[in-house]
Amino acid sequence: HITALGHMDSSPQADGAAVAAAPAHDNWTDGMRPMSTASFAGAQVREHDPSKTSIYTQGKLVRDGATGAPASAVPLEGNSLNDLLKWSIGNTRDADFDELRARKERGDFDPAAYRDFLDTILGEGDVVTMKRLLKVVMDDSSEAAQVVGALEEMEYLVESIDNANDLLQIGGLRPVIACLRSAADGVPSAAAGVLATCIQNNPKAQDAAQVVGLVATLVDLTRACVERHSQVRRCLCANMQHQQAAAEESAIALPTPPCACRAPSQGIVPRLLYVLSACVRGHADAARALVGADGVELLVSLASSDDVRVRRRTLFLLSALLREAPGVAAAMRAVDRGARTLVESSRMDDPEVQNHALACVLYSMQGEAVDAAQREACREWWLAARATDELRDLAMRLAARLQMGEISESDDPTVPLQITKILALLQSAEPLGGSQPAAAPAASAAQAQAAQPPTAPQMLALA
């Protein structure tokens, strides 16, 4: 049997004849039944007129059967969209352009309709999607859930650096920044996610953020959140004391919860620090703007936060800035009780907090961005805060744990190395000024990988 898959003539008569000639079979649908050679011979097959046949010579179109016209004199060279555009323009008649111009003058030509048609055929592009999402964000009538949903979808899109730069081109940076001040639940956090994803490791976005003054905005917002948190904490404390006093007067014992004097978590602050880190890391102008806005003072104060997430991100950012941004060490020394705050953080049980706090101490005396005078000044600052005694005590406790075999996988192996280096710098009689030898940077990476944590006897001897 020969299966008839189609007909050269699409007329109803030809189709009907072919179907009628096909033998009946229960397992075949209409038009797809196999035909015997005898039945097929009786079917009518009608060909199109030969004038509608396209003619090719060695792969080149000589005559277009659809239009009956000779092939265009402009060949298609290359496979890019730009080549296709050139070919389309070269093969479009002047009369077609004249007709489009006339339609536009009459008001019959709507470019948006063509764009909508292309979006329907090709799918909505990311830029079009971001424009639609921005309309939702900027619409005052949008509900909070709608704005949060739009911002979350936008955050996903700007993970691509091309889309992140397109968001800047369509003017999306300022509307998203404005969402940071929104009072709607969840909107500031979602906006912070968009900004951090868009700006992180993207110099063009960092430049744009610097132009609109995002660093100063973030510092102001973070400071306002911290102050509001302190006010809530004081209110909670006063309320608890009032309740306790009333209970004592009435001889009723009120149970005191273990966290009675703690305010709720500082919520948006970790997200704001995430955006701030994306703005200033690796960007000298943004780091200077942070110092000028008293941002270093704010970071040092946040290092004593009761929210461990805030501490982690604050100390990480501060240690990174001490390593790469000039002026941060001097600004840090100007903070009252700043040294005590960082030293106390180095004694915390949280490995991440401890590691970043020790990195702040180390980079203030050894960071590439800290000049000779500031290194010496920082050493005196740490000595005045009795950092040596605190770190010696920490070294003794670590040595005892090493001897007892109590070091677990959760302990950071770099902490003993950091303590060893810091104590050596604090106890050294040599000045800390001057740059490292030329060969030191090249060898430092290999040495860091090969370095082993000091043994218990070594830490005890150093302490």
Side-chain angles (χ1 to χ4, degrees), residues 91-167:
N91 289 281
T92 302
R93 299 173 301 175
D94 292 339
D96 295 331
F97 285 116
D98 295 338
E99 181 182 355
L100 287 175
R101 294 189 188 97
R103 289 178 57 188
K104 185 176 181 181
E105 292 175 357
R106 294 195 305 267
D108 297 337
F109 180 73
D110 184 12
Y114 286 90
R115 288 195 294 269
D116 294 341
F117 173 76
L118 289 176
D119 290 339
T120 303
I121 299 298
L122 303 176
E124 188 180 60
D126 289 345
V127 175
V128 178
T129 302
M130 289 191 293
K131 288 182 178 179
R132 174 175 57 81
L133 296 174
L134 281 175
K135 290 181 180 179
V136 176
V137 170
M138 299 170 65
D139 189 353
D140 295 336
S141 62
S142 297
E143 297 181 358
Q146 294 175 317
V147 177
V148 170
L151 290 171
E152 289 177 348
E153 185 176 354
M154 197 181 302
E155 180 181 357
Y156 169 76
L157 290 174
V158 298
E159 288 180 357
S160 165
I161 192 170
D162 293 330
N163 288 341
N165 292 332
D166 287 337
L167 181 65

Side-chain angles (χ1 to χ4, degrees), residues 340 343 361 382-392 423 426:
R340 293 300 310 164
V343 171
V361 180
W382 295 119
L383 290 173
R386 302 181 63 84
T388 305
D389 295 338
E390 298 284 351
L391 292 175
R392 280 176 179 169
L423 286 175
L426 291 175

Side-chain angles (χ1 to χ4, degrees), residues 293-315:
D294 295 331
V296 176
E297 177 185 356
L298 175 65
L299 292 177
V300 175
S301 65
L302 288 175
S304 61
S305 171
D306 54 4
D307 188 336
V308 68
R309 297 176 304 160
V310 174
R311 276 200 174 193
R312 287 173 180 171
R313 293 200 171 179
T314 298
L315 292 169

Side-chain angles (χ1 to χ4, degrees), residues 210 215 280 283-296 321 325-328:
Q210 180 62 17
V215 170
V280 301
H283 198 281
D285 291 341
R288 282 193 290 269
L290 176 68
V291 174
D294 295 331
V296 176
L321 290 172
V328 175

Side-chain angles (χ1 to χ4, degrees), residues 2 274 344 375:
I2 300 176
Y274 182 28
E344 289 171 1
R375 289 180 183 180

Side-chain angles (χ1 to χ4, degrees), residues 188-241:
S189 179
V194 176
L195 293 171
T197 305
C198 178
I199 297 171
Q200 191 173 34
N201 299 323
N202 187 352
K204 185 179 293 187
Q206 285 180 313
D207 292 340
Q210 180 62 17
V211 169
V212 299
L214 179 56
V215 170
T217 300
L218 292 169
V219 171
D220 292 341
L221 287 173
T222 305
R223 184 177 287 113
C225 289
V226 172
E227 292 175 355
R228 184 165 61 249
H229 172 76
S230 299
Q231 291 174 358
V232 173
R233 183 173 182 174
R234 287 193 295 269
C235 289
L236 286 176
C237 292
N239 186 39
M240 181 56 61
Q241 292 173 358

Side-chain angles (χ1 to χ4, degrees), residues 369-398:
V370 184
D371 58 29
Q374 287 299 327
R375 289 180 183 180
E376 283 293 340
C378 286
R379 177 162 68 174
E380 295 299 325
W381 190 54
W382 295 119
L383 290 173
R386 302 181 63 84
T388 305
D389 295 338
E390 298 284 351
L391 292 175
R392 280 176 179 169
D393 180 64
L394 181 58
M396 294 288 287
R397 290 192 288 114
L398 284 175

